Amino acid sequence: EKAGVSVGSRGGIFMADSQENKQKEQNDVSEKNFMIEKIKERPVNKKKLLRRTLITVSMAVIFGLVACFTFLVLEPVISNWLYPEEEPQVVVFPEDQDEMSPEQMLAENMQQENQNSQSSSVPGEVMEQEQIRELLSGIILDLDNYKQIYSALAQYVAEMNRSMVTVTGVSSGVDWFNNVNESKNQSSGVIIAQNGKQLLILTDYSPVKQADDIIVTFNDGTQADASLKEKDETTGLAVIAIELDTLNEDFLKNDITIATLGSSNIKDIAGLPVVALGRPMGTNGSLGYGIITSSASESAASDTTYRILQTNIVGSQNAGGVLFNLQGQVIGIITNGKSATDMKNMVCAYGITELKRHIEKMSNGEKFAYLGLKGVDVTEEANSELGVPYGAYIKEVEMDSPAMLAGIQQGDVITGFGERVIISFDEYTNSLLSMKPGDSVELTIMRQSQQEYKEMKFDITLTVLK
């Protein structure tokens, strides 16, 4: 029995070993099978790949656009915060002072020069015209005197020309054969101000209206690029600007002069000596000497009137430039087409007094508010004899203007502009010049109805003259 047990145990052990060996063999076979398996790549889904590519590109484009927009918006803010830029100074021209008549100025100069040898009948007062004539009657001019006079005028002109420039508007175009054509239109200009960042020049609007480039040539031949600051359609004038950092500092200090705007609102201005500079003869750099012969006429324009200064200077019908008095002040801006039909070649000019506010607005880059009225002052005779109330009498209402659309009519008299009382057309003009396009104003007008004037009020939104 023991032997049988022993044999049986050995048989069981042998069987157990056999099973283990078989299991190992199976595992080895499995491992061998695993090692010889081929790894196949997953097939490419082209549609899915294209869709992901398009999404990625689209997201990149959107990100780029957002980044560019954010940079454009924030860059000026950040730059101004890190490097604050000074704003241009506001240009303001002084108001006219009470001016003496030419006779009074001449008398005062003579009195100062002859105070040791001549005496006035009333000490400390301006001499009478009889005394002036008496003094002039004893003066005899010879050839040397005329030479001295014209030599002095030549020196004066040389000094005033430091304020004058030539403005060239350059335009490019293509003809029928695709050839590039370049056209140049010129006018004169006068340096009127500098605002800390720009040099400002008053000139005609027509040469720069369609210009691609604006070139300014100074009296010494120096050239600089300019840009349009603002225009005035009613007068055909414009202010152009040259960046100061494009000009040499020594040149600004030593080679140019900013002109002084004087006054054309002078009592008895007829007879005042003037010099016309710019292009009074139709060519740049020409000049003319003469006197003011008349200042009685006016030129009506949209929402304003201009005083016309007539001279005895014979010039071109295409004249331009400025009128200087002998004190070195600009008293007129030469224009054309305003002379009488039988005096077409006589140089005439807009009086500078009526232009100052317009030039001031253009120099500050401000647009003009437009209402669309032409009018005159109510005279004392019209008030006393016809009962017309004092104010701005409306002679014409322009078609499709804000005034016409609001119901203003010819013959109305403006007596109030907002809270301001209006007693003349000049006051109406100055009130409008203080407004901006888009502003609203309440106009008080007097309208004739059954032999009497009745008050009416209109709320009007101002626009810009196109």
Side-chain angles (χ1 to χ4, degrees), residues 37 54 97 221:
E37 286 181 355
L54 291 176
Q97 302 296 324

Side-chain angles (χ1 to χ4, degrees), residues 110-262:
M110 285 187 171
Q111 189 176 28
Q112 291 176 352
E113 293 175 0
N114 299 281
Q115 60 183 349
N116 295 328
S117 58
Q118 302 289 339
S119 61
S120 174
S121 60
V122 183
E125 295 184 0
V126 177
M127 291 183 289
E128 300 294 336
Q129 291 188 8
E130 290 80 5
Q131 295 173 295
I132 297 173
R133 293 192 187 98
E134 183 179 351
L135 286 172
L136 292 177
S137 64
I139 298 176
I140 300 176
L141 299 178
D142 58 16
L143 184 59
D144 288 336
N145 295 131
Y146 280 106
K147 288 180 179 179
Q148 292 174 9
I149 291 172
Y150 281 102
S151 176
L153 285 173
Q155 293 177 11
Y156 172 77
V157 167
E159 181 62 29
M160 292 304 99
N161 271 331
R162 289 162 53 90
S163 303
M164 303 301 298
V165 300
T166 298
V167 179
T168 305
V170 182
S171 302
S172 299
V174 180
D175 61 16
W176 292 97
F177 303 100
N178 289 327
N179 296 318
V180 178
N181 294 325
E182 187 176 80
S183 61
K184 296 182 179 180
N185 296 310
Q186 288 189 334
S187 66
S188 61
V190 58
I191 304 170
I192 55 172
Q194 69 104 339
N195 59 14
K197 295 187 63 178
Q198 299 167 321
L199 190 67
L200 304 178
I201 296 167
L202 180 67
T203 187
D204 294 331
Y205 178 48
S206 55
V208 302
K209 185 175 183 178
Q210 303 293 337
D212 299 318
D213 299 295
I214 303 174
I215 301 173
V216 174
T217 305
F218 293 91
N219 188 50
D220 68 344
T222 301
Q223 292 188 336
D225 293 328
S227 60
L228 179 65
K229 186 80 172 179
E230 194 52 73
K231 63 184 183 299
D232 180 7
E233 295 280 3
T234 59
T235 59
L237 297 175
V239 170
I240 60 176
I242 301 174
E243 299 299 324
L244 289 178
D245 57 11
T246 64
L247 297 173
N248 185 277
E249 188 174 347
D250 291 336
F251 171 77
L252 290 172
K253 290 181 179 180
N254 303 319
D255 296 325
I256 65 170
T257 301
I258 296 175
T260 301
L261 302 187

Side-chain angles (χ1 to χ4, degrees), residues 312-381:
N312 65 345
I313 302 173
V314 180
S316 170
Q317 294 184 24
N318 296 318
V322 298
L323 292 181
F324 282 95
N325 61 19
L326 297 187
Q327 283 71 47
Q329 300 171 334
V330 176
I331 64 167
I333 305 299
I334 297 175
T335 183
N336 50 66
K338 304 299 181 182
S339 298
T341 55
D342 58 343
M343 300 178 65
K344 291 184 178 180
N345 285 94
M346 293 298 180
V347 172
C348 62
Y350 290 119
I352 197 64
T353 294
E354 290 77 19
L355 285 178
K356 275 186 181 179
R357 290 294 303 275
H358 293 75
I359 298 173
E360 190 175 285
K361 286 183 74 73
M362 288 190 289
S363 298
N364 293 313
E366 300 176 6
K367 294 189 177 298
F368 294 93
Y370 172 62
L371 221 164
L373 298 173
K374 294 181 180 180
V376 294
D377 297 343
V378 175
T379 63
E380 187 176 345
E381 291 78 12

Side-chain angles (χ1 to χ4, degrees), residues 30-31 35 37 74 92 148 169 181 311 332 345 387 390 397 401 452 458:
S30 297
E31 289 179 358
M35 293 300 293
E37 286 181 355
L74 295 181
V92 178
Q148 292 174 9
N181 294 325
T311 74
N345 285 94
Y390 285 113
V397 182
S401 65
E452 64 176 353
F458 296 85

Side-chain angles (χ1 to χ4, degrees), residues 252-276:
L252 290 172
K253 290 181 179 180
N254 303 319
D255 296 325
I256 65 170
T257 301
I258 296 175
T260 301
L261 302 187
S263 171
S264 57
N265 189 24
I266 302 174
K267 181 181 178 182
D268 300 329
I269 194 173
L272 181 70
V274 291
V275 177

Side-chain angles (χ1 to χ4, degrees), residues 285-313:
S286 56
L287 62 93
Y289 302 126
I291 62 171
I292 302 293
T293 57
S294 172
S295 63
S297 61
E298 292 184 342
S299 175
S302 297
D303 301 314
T304 189
T305 56
Y306 300 100
R307 191 180 189 184
I308 301 298
L309 305 180
Q310 188 73 53
T311 74
N312 65 345
I313 302 173

Side-chain angles (χ1 to χ4, degrees), residues 428-442:
Y428 158 75
T429 297
N430 290 331
S431 299
L432 184 62
L433 284 172
S434 65
M435 308 293 285
K436 297 179 180 179
D439 290 347
S440 296
V441 65
E442 182 183 67

